Amino acid sequence: MKRALIAVLCILLTTTLIFAQDASIYDDFRIPTYDYRTLQVRGNNLLDWYSHNDTDSHFNFGLGGDYYMMNQSPEFTWAVYDNLYFQNTSADNLNNGDAFTEIDEVLGGSVEKYFMGYFGPHAFADGVFDYYSHSEADDPVHDLTLNLGAGYGRITYAKPVAQAVAIAEELGGGLSNDKILKIADIIDSYSLYLARDKDDAYINYINDIAKVAGKPEGAMKIQQILSSAVYKMANRYVGWRARVSYMNRFMISPDLPAGVDDPKGMLVIRADYAKPMGLDRQLWAWFEYDNSLETDADPNMLIGFRATRDHNYLWSSYAQFEFNTWGTDPGNTYMDDTEMALSIGTTRVLYNRYTANAEFSYEKWDLDDDAEMRFMLNFGYWIW
């Protein structure tokens, strides 16, 4: 009797540990702190020479590079990146083309600063400078897009927590919230592993998760949970945020359309609310108001929500609704029109053998008498 009672208590304790986590674990998750730099030189088409006869030959030289620098912490995050590509092509007789030189440059950056801890007032900015030059063209084309703003609140991307919970349960449970959050930190830091460990990144990443989980023998299962299409967990977000920003384009070359023909720029107001409803459901709602600062411009407005449900780790469903209305601001392609869009879908995997997903969407434009409807069904089955 005593042994039976001890066995029952052990089973109850194990069950409690496995299912001890609830939606509050998402509120405890904070983005990890790390920084890294990467520089890559690429020559996918470094030299390409071909000759058949006097009328059938070409010579190409192409070289590019990517630079990325990031520093992340819960209160202050900034990033800078640069993507550059250069190509020189001699007379291409095969395609009746002339010699040319091409330069494609994208330089960007972003910054986000919280002033009163993890959640609260903050300022943010992001910008992208695009430059493209082709020797056959008269002048290069370029423009600079800037978005500057401030807000209150925070939305945290928390899918790593859902993946950590799945890892804990699939490996037998028994992990505390602290260990699950440590696993989530590692999952969210994968880009750091890529920058630091290069070809060994994925191996070290999986091994570190297995060590925290206390299951070194479970590395292959962890890899399946994180990378296999079998596991169908939906994204997770937690928190709320309200933001106001000013967005405009500068340094616009004459060969480009003048932005949206909107030299005064755009005022953007957006609010988001995200809430995990238990460990298996997610709700996201959003509202956006965009107003050109030009005279007599009407605003664009967007309202939407998305709900997801993970029935288990192999089956996930969602429903999404959006309502858009476009004003008469300059450059608007959808003049004085509204759109309503509804979509629902589900994806199910019968482990290792059969997978299927279905999706229904409904879209209605104000100026179109007929709605657009679509139903899609896909499946796959491993015969052997």
Side-chain angles (χ1 to χ4, degrees):
M1 181 68 180
K2 185 177 180 181
R3 290 183 180 178
L5 180 60
I6 292 174
V8 171
L9 288 174
C10 289
I11 291 172
L12 291 174
L13 178 60
T14 303
T15 304
T16 302
L17 288 172
I18 292 174
F19 298 101
Q21 289 78 34
D22 55 37
S24 65
I25 195 171
Y26 291 106
D27 297 319
D28 296 332
F29 180 63
R30 299 291 184 264
I31 64 169
T33 298
Y34 59 81
D35 65 274
Y36 65 87
R37 301 180 185 185
T38 61
L39 175 61
Q40 179 187 27
V41 178
R42 47 188 168 84
N44 297 335
N45 192 22
L46 183 63
L47 292 175
D48 175 16
W49 176 81
Y50 174 81
S51 178
H52 180 217
N53 51 48
D54 292 340
T55 60
D56 188 3
S57 63
H58 67 255
F59 179 82
N60 298 325
F61 171 78
L63 184 65
D66 302 294
Y67 177 73
Y68 193 83
M69 180 167 56
M70 181 176 184
N71 188 300
Q72 175 178 286
S73 71
E75 288 79 28
F76 184 52
T77 296
W78 59 267
V80 175
Y81 63 88
D82 183 51
N83 307 118
L84 173 65
Y85 181 71
F86 170 84
Q87 178 175 322
N88 179 266
T89 300
S90 67
D92 189 344
N93 298 324
L94 182 63
N95 296 308
N96 298 318
D98 297 327
F100 68 89
T101 299
E102 183 181 29
I103 300 175
D104 192 358
E105 161 79 354
V106 179
L107 174 64
S110 63
V111 62
E112 185 177 61
K113 171 63 178 175
Y114 281 78
F115 299 102
M116 297 175 64
Y118 189 80
F119 183 95
H122 61 274
F124 64 94
D126 57 79
V128 179
F129 176 72
D130 281 304
Y131 177 92
Y132 179 77
S133 172
H134 197 291
S135 58
E136 293 181 343
D138 294 334
D139 296 300
V141 293
H142 50 77
D143 72 312
L144 172 64
T145 302
L146 291 178
N147 185 33
L148 310 173
Y152 193 95
R154 188 171 199 147
I155 297 286
T156 300
Y157 175 70
K159 185 175 181 179
V161 177
Q163 293 171 310
V165 170
I167 289 170
E169 295 193 6
E170 294 287 271
L171 293 182
L175 295 186
S176 65
N177 280 8
D178 287 342
K179 284 196 173 182
I180 286 179
L181 291 173
K182 286 180 181 178
I183 293 173
D185 282 346
I186 295 173
I187 294 172
D188 202 40
S189 304
Y190 182 54
S191 56
L192 173 61
Y193 282 81
L194 285 174
R196 184 187 63 199
D197 301 336
K198 305 300 187 289
D199 288 342
D200 292 330
Y202 198 66
I203 296 172
N204 296 338
Y205 168 71
I206 296 297
N207 286 339
D208 284 353
I209 293 174
K211 288 177 185 177
V212 174
K215 302 281 186 178
E217 72 282 1
M220 296 303 292
K221 187 64 178 179
I222 293 170
Q223 179 179 344
Q224 183 188 44
I225 294 170
L226 294 177
S227 61
S228 171
V230 166
Y231 284 80
K232 298 296 181 182
M233 288 168 287
N235 287 334
R236 298 289 198 280
Y237 301 89
V238 60
W240 64 270
R241 181 178 67 194
R243 284 181 160 182
V244 178
S245 66
Y246 171 75
M247 183 168 57
N248 205 350
R249 293 172 71 193
F250 306 91
M251 302 171 62
I252 303 173
S253 61
D255 291 340
L256 278 178
V260 289
D261 198 19
D262 189 7
K264 292 184 179 179
M266 178 84 70
L267 176 69
V268 179
I269 301 173
R270 183 175 174 106
D272 294 85
Y273 175 80
K275 178 71 174 176
M277 313 294 287
L279 289 175
D280 57 356
R281 287 157 291 167
Q282 169 77 49
L283 174 67
W284 180 305
W286 58 90
F287 168 78
E288 185 170 317
Y289 175 95
D290 304 334
N291 192 26
S292 167
L293 299 181
E294 297 297 311
T295 307
D296 300 326
D298 294 329
N300 308 328
M301 286 188 288
L302 165 67
I303 300 173
F305 75 85
R306 181 181 179 90
T308 62
R309 170 73 184 274
D310 290 342
H311 307 281
N312 53 53
Y313 297 132
L314 310 177
W315 181 16
S316 183
S317 300
Y318 81 93
Q320 178 170 309
F321 173 81
E322 275 195 332
F323 179 79
N324 289 274
T325 176
W326 282 274
T328 56
D329 57 281
N332 179 17
T333 358
Y334 307 99
M335 299 296 287
D336 290 313
D337 208 351
T338 61
E339 175 207 24
M340 179 178 65
L342 170 69
S343 60
I344 57 175
T346 188
T347 300
R348 176 70 185 267
V349 176
L350 298 180
Y351 187 69
N352 220 22
R353 299 289 293 179
Y354 174 75
T355 179
N357 71 283
E359 182 177 76
F360 172 79
S361 62
Y362 174 95
E363 188 172 356
K364 178 68 172 68
W365 288 86
D366 185 50
L367 298 181
D368 190 346
D369 293 334
D370 299 317
E372 299 178 16
M373 290 183 285
R374 173 178 290 180
F375 176 76
M376 293 183 291
L377 180 65
N378 300 294
F379 80 97
Y381 182 74
W382 290 92
I383 298 176
W384 62 72

